[in-house]
Amino acid sequence: MLPAAAVFHFPWEINTGEVQEGGSVRVFGRLVCYQPEESRATLSAQHASKDHQVVVQTLFVEPFNPIIGAQYMVLGEIENAEGVGAMVRARVLNCVDGVNVALLQKAINEQRSFFREREHTPGDAEQPAHAT
């Protein structure tokens, strides 16, 4: 069974505590490490000239053919793991190598902006009844 609809989060947001344990997320990054004996992968993304890493538990998506250096997108839930911190328990792990990361980040920001505007737009106020 897939998790609830997930919001995109940037890798640098996962470890800052913005997403609570059990929360569904979508995250992307370049595969920099895969440890099949531990069912763990590490994704990395750069932001503000700093590398940010996200640990992904791959138990539910194995076996998969990892391509070190390729871009991956993950759908899963946040779990706090001892010694690791926030980790994504992957339900879906797709190689999306060739995706334009800058364009993806822009699209995620646009989507967030759209949802913020929609949340803050006042609902339709009751219209006064017109006498006929």
Side-chain angles (χ1 to χ4, degrees):
M1 187 164 113
L2 291 176
V7 175
F8 263 108
H9 286 277
F10 296 115
W12 48 92
E13 296 171 339
I14 299 295
N15 293 321
T16 61
E18 283 188 39
V19 185
Q20 294 186 2
E21 186 170 12
S24 295
V25 296
R26 293 182 194 197
V27 67
F28 64 90
R30 186 168 303 282
L31 182 65
V32 294
C33 179
Y34 175 56
Q35 301 163 311
E37 65 280 353
E38 295 182 25
S39 295
R40 283 192 184 167
T42 303
L43 301 180
S44 179
Q46 200 170 31
H47 175 69
S49 69
K50 184 178 177 192
D51 276 336
H52 298 271
Q53 295 189 337
V54 175
V55 176
V56 178
Q57 185 196 50
T58 59
L59 185 66
F60 295 149
V61 294
E62 291 177 341
F64 81 102
N65 192 12
I67 303 169
I68 302 296
Q71 288 285 342
Y72 281 83
M73 194 167 298
V74 179
L75 171 63
E77 300 94 25
I78 295 293
E79 178 180 292
N80 287 323
E82 200 172 306
V84 176
M87 176 173 66
V88 179
R89 182 184 294 263
R91 300 293 181 145
V92 177
L93 178 66
N94 286 326
C95 180
V96 292
D97 208 27
V99 71
N100 183 331
V101 175
L103 194 57
L104 176 60
Q105 289 178 352
K106 183 178 178 186
I108 292 168
N109 285 326
E110 288 292 322
Q111 182 185 46
R112 288 178 175 182
S113 179
F114 170 78
F115 286 133
R116 267 195 307 271
E117 286 177 20
R118 192 169 74 174
E119 285 176 4
H120 297 316
T121 301
D124 292 337
E126 286 187 32
Q127 298 295 324
H130 293 283
T132 52

